[in-house]
Amino acid sequence: MSTQAGPPPMVQAAGASKWFGDLVAVSDVSFSIGAGVTALLGPNGAGKSTMLRMMCGLARPSNGSVTVLGKDPRSDVSVLGRIGMAPQQESLLDHLSGREFVELAAQLHHLQRPGEAARQAIQTVELDPDDTRRLSTYSKGMRQRIKLAQAIVHDPLVIALDEPLTGLDPRQRREMIELFHRLGSEGKCVIVSSHVLDEVERFGSRVLVMAQGRLAAEGDFREIRNLMDDRPLRISIRTDRPRELAIALLDRGVISGCRLEGADVVVVDTTDPAAFRRAVAPVARDRNVSLRELRPLDDDLESVFRYLVTQ
Amino acid sequence: MTEAQIHDRGNLSYDGPRHGPGRAMVVLSYHTAQRVLGLKRSNWQKVMPAIALLVAFVPAIVFIGLAALLPASSDLDLGDPAGYYVPISFVLFLFTSFVTPEALCTDRRSGMLGLYLASPLNRDTYLASKFVAVIAVLGVMTIGPTLLMLIAFTLDGSGPDGAIDWLIEFGRVLASGLAMAAFWGSLALAISSLSPRRTLASVAIFVSLLVSAAVGDGLAEGAEVGDSFALLNMIALPIETVYRIYGEVNPDGPPIRNVETLPILLTFLGLIVVFGWFARWRYQRIEVNG
């Protein structure tokens, strides 16, 4: 993804950093992305939204640069007309109807037929363009889609979407992801931020992983996923005979370490979670040990990203 | 066999004509003016703008009615045009304090600022659009009634003599109205730029105006340290400026009436520039969340 031959990148960050007083939101991030869907993945507070804001010219990098279509979006207004943005925030203009809201976006982008453009964009996100209800009455899913509609109404080349799938049901998510791919296949650069790992898997193969303001990983999603699967996993097991179970699992070679906690808990480390999952129940049955609870201690996104950062 | 078919509609993208640059500013100004006036919003949010417009226009409308109904020979006293700005200033004081922060604060709170600045608007054109919107709304209150007054004078036959004098009077109406709208508008934008909270901005505008009046008049009249300190009174300053545009001095005004015209005009224009510069300085530094 970085510095490759071929068409020039549509979005490029070169050593981009952004800090707010003492808080470093983005630290020395460099990447290049072109047409297609790119997922910007990271836990809450990783710097994804700040990165998107820099791409849309809303924030100036404290250091380094972010260019879109070869231009600085903060100083070159012409490039802003080629960017569509759907922010994470919900309130927006609640007194307007969805159609009026999208029309306003169309007018701001100088479209001469904003009504027609708004209707098309609203239909594209599968909402009713004749719905006259105010945005304040919209469900979360409808708000997400109307935000996407205003982001694409002027047919931008670069589309930055901040957590666009939050609040959507599975069917809506699937349709939204299909729409992202359609836009990507038309030569647009679609950047979608998300903190949900499984969600990103369906976006496509290109991923930028941010953690603690840094670019933790970039490239093909499957390779990154494999890298994540290789990390040691810590699991808490509540059982009536923790010592016997720990010895048996060590004998089976599916855990690399263990620690007893209290009378009925053993915490184990495994580097092969799949093998562990296959072995734990048969081992318990063979030793007549009853399993009461298995709880991964570091399966949350934070720990996944922490692991990536240390790689 | 069914004849139904499913067509892949694909992504419907706009490929029609586009306006030139500047359109976004017009749209934002129009939209902001609507919002400040409470249009397309709840009835409660229309109350204050409606009262302000009513208070500003009713006396002028009454004058016009009298001028139209009474015989031309009747001795109709249409009063003094500059004096009309005293009650208008009261309306502007309340309107600027409690309504105009809507023009800026809400965008920051709702996240719309991010969407606006991700469009072909930059921070300067965004602020300029807001300024134009606020001036347009305030201008309705500052120019509208006095323009009606001028019409009333003319209808009554007691207006300016001849086309030249009429145009001079018309110019004074425009200059006075625009000056007042620009002063109150720039003041409101400068203070509103300090906070995304509308209530906080309202209180700040209200308090700063009252404090400026108390300090200015207190120093000039109470402490007797010099009439120039009366220039600090930001409520009296625009009224007195209008009197000077009409070539008069507010006879019943606060101590600022004793100050020469040039310092009044320079302070007045200087403050508009300072308020505008401050709002711009703030907006160049605001981090957009959205």
Side-chain angles (χ1 to χ4, degrees):
Chain A
M1 199 148 38
S2 296
T3 57
Q4 56 192 8
M10 297 173 84
V11 178
Q12 189 164 36
S17 301
K18 179 71 183 175
W19 50 80
F20 305 98
D22 292 337
L23 175 72
V24 179
V26 173
S27 176
D28 196 22
V29 169
S30 299
F31 59 79
S32 303
I33 45 184
V37 182
T38 300
L40 187 58
L41 179 64
N44 290 325
K48 305 186 298 295
S49 295
T50 305
M51 198 66 235
L52 286 180
R53 284 201 289 271
M54 287 196 283
M55 290 176 198
C56 297
L58 302 181
R60 192 191 300 280
S62 306
N63 204 8
S65 67
V66 176
T67 55
V68 175
L69 306 173
K71 295 172 178 169
D72 177 0
R74 182 66 195 256
S75 60
D76 193 330
V77 175
S78 67
V79 79
L80 289 175
R82 319 302 302 276
I83 299 174
M85 182 206 181
Q88 199 175 349
Q89 270 166 323
E90 287 292 314
S91 46
L92 304 172
L93 291 174
D94 278 348
H95 65 288
L96 298 182
S97 70
R99 171 81 173 272
E100 289 169 333
F101 178 59
V102 180
E103 272 189 34
L104 172 65
Q107 289 171 331
L108 286 170
H109 284 94
H110 309 152
L111 306 195
Q112 278 189 23
R113 295 200 294 265
E116 176 194 322
R119 177 172 280 276
Q120 287 180 352
I122 292 170
Q123 282 175 341
T124 300
V125 299
E126 297 188 353
L127 286 174
D128 178 7
D130 297 319
D131 188 349
T132 54
R133 284 178 300 160
R134 292 182 174 193
L135 287 174
S136 55
T137 65
Y138 274 29
S139 68
K140 177 122 180 164
M142 291 171 78
R143 278 166 176 262
Q144 290 287 34
R145 283 184 281 166
I146 209 74
K147 282 194 292 183
L148 179 62
Q150 68 78 31
I152 62 173
V153 68
H154 56 294
D155 197 24
L157 271 176
V158 175
I159 303 167
L161 309 169
D162 201 355
E163 305 275 1
L165 302 185
T166 308
L168 300 185
D169 63 37
R171 187 189 66 84
Q172 291 169 341
R173 283 179 183 225
R174 194 177 60 248
E175 288 166 355
M176 199 74 110
I177 290 168
E178 283 170 10
L179 173 60
F180 298 159
H181 283 294
R182 277 210 304 273
L183 292 165
S185 65
E186 289 173 7
K188 301 180 194 308
C189 173
V190 184
I191 304 155
V192 187
S193 85
S194 176
H195 67 279
V196 182
L197 200 58
D198 293 334
E199 196 172 271
V200 171
E201 196 162 6
R202 286 180 284 160
F203 284 167
S205 59
R206 288 181 298 172
V207 178
L208 299 169
V209 184
M210 290 193 71
Q212 296 165 5
R214 294 167 57 201
L215 189 63
E218 63 173 313
D220 183 90
F221 177 80
R222 282 170 293 277
E223 289 171 15
I224 293 172
R225 184 82 207 209
N226 290 339
L227 186 62
M228 289 175 177
D229 286 343
D230 289 343
R231 78 203 159 95
L233 189 67
R234 183 161 289 181
I235 299 164
S236 166
I237 308 170
R238 186 176 296 280
T239 171
D240 57 341
R241 292 157 61 198
R243 188 180 301 271
E244 285 81 351
L245 181 63
I247 292 168
L249 290 171
L250 279 168
D251 281 349
R252 187 67 71 92
V254 292
I255 61 173
S256 54
C258 62
R259 187 176 74 248
L260 293 169
E261 288 190 351
D264 61 349
V265 172
V266 57
V267 175
V268 300
D269 291 330
T270 176
T271 54
D272 190 347
F276 171 82
R277 278 194 294 272
R278 282 195 302 272
V280 64
V283 165
R285 188 189 58 223
D286 293 348
R287 302 294 171 104
N288 203 24
V289 171
S290 85
L291 291 173
R292 292 170 184 160
E293 181 189 51
L294 266 80
R295 186 162 55 91
L297 294 180
D298 56 0
D299 202 24
D300 60 301
L301 268 178
E302 288 284 355
S303 64
V304 170
F305 293 120
R306 263 201 305 279
Y307 174 72
L308 281 173
V309 172
T310 58
Q311 290 300 293
Chain B
M1 188 176 359
T2 176
E3 292 183 0
Q5 291 180 59
I6 296 174
H7 296 286
D8 181 6
R9 297 172 63 87
N11 176 37
L12 303 171
S13 59
Y14 178 83
D15 56 2
R18 296 177 188 241
H19 289 286
R23 178 69 181 176
M25 288 180 73
V26 174
V27 169
L28 181 58
S29 293
Y30 175 71
H31 191 78
T32 304
Q34 272 193 330
R35 192 166 177 86
V36 169
L37 288 171
L39 302 179
K40 293 190 176 182
R41 302 178 69 201
S42 68
N43 289 335
W44 176 245
Q45 280 152 328
K46 294 181 176 71
V47 170
M48 187 69 191
I51 290 175
L53 287 170
L54 211 64
V55 173
F57 273 91
V58 161
I61 290 169
V62 169
F63 274 126
I64 285 191
L66 288 174
L69 293 173
L70 292 177
S73 56
S74 63
D75 189 17
L76 178 63
D77 180 12
L78 292 171
D80 148 38
Y84 200 86
Y85 286 92
V86 177
I88 286 181
S89 288
F90 175 71
V91 174
L92 291 177
F93 173 49
L94 295 179
F95 191 83
T96 303
S97 298
F98 297 108
V99 182
T100 46
E102 177 72 38
L104 280 189
C105 298
T106 309
D107 285 350
R108 282 167 69 190
R109 245 177 117 68
S110 66
M112 277 305 291
L113 179 61
L115 284 185
Y116 287 134
L117 296 182
S119 77
L121 289 165
N122 62 26
R123 290 166 194 244
D124 286 339
T125 49
Y126 169 84
L127 262 185
S129 308
K130 292 286 175 177
F131 188 54
V132 167
V134 170
I135 283 193
V137 172
L138 294 176
V140 171
M141 283 175 249
T142 55
I143 298 173
T146 42
L147 198 57
L148 286 176
M149 291 283 290
L150 179 61
I151 293 167
F153 276 120
T154 310
L155 284 176
D156 184 56
S158 55
D161 296 327
I164 301 294
D165 284 355
W166 196 92
L167 285 174
I168 290 172
E169 194 66 15
F170 179 67
R172 282 177 175 155
V173 167
L174 282 186
S176 303
L178 280 176
M180 280 211 122
F183 184 85
W184 290 94
S186 60
L187 169 77
L189 293 189
I191 296 182
S192 299
S193 71
L194 290 168
S195 169
R197 293 180 180 276
R198 209 183 65 183
T199 314
L200 207 61
S202 290
V203 172
I205 294 170
F206 189 81
V207 170
S208 60
L209 285 168
L210 287 183
V211 167
S212 78
V215 169
D217 289 358
L219 287 172
E221 206 163 48
E224 294 183 354
V225 292
D227 287 338
S228 305
F229 284 93
L231 292 170
L232 294 173
N233 183 341
M234 288 194 291
I235 298 175
L237 178 63
I239 299 173
E240 194 60 38
T241 303
V242 168
Y243 268 97
R244 303 304 166 99
I245 289 173
Y246 277 90
E248 300 170 17
V249 174
N250 185 2
D252 309 315
I256 198 170
R257 68 181 181 276
N258 302 322
V259 181
E260 293 294 320
T261 298
L262 187 62
I264 286 178
L265 293 180
L266 289 177
T267 308
F268 183 80
L269 292 173
L271 280 177
I272 291 174
V273 171
V274 167
F275 292 147
W277 171 84
F278 181 79
R280 183 181 184 272
W281 179 79
R282 280 285 304 154
Y283 264 75
Q284 291 298 325
R285 279 152 187 80
I286 281 174
E287 293 294 346
V288 180
N289 300 310

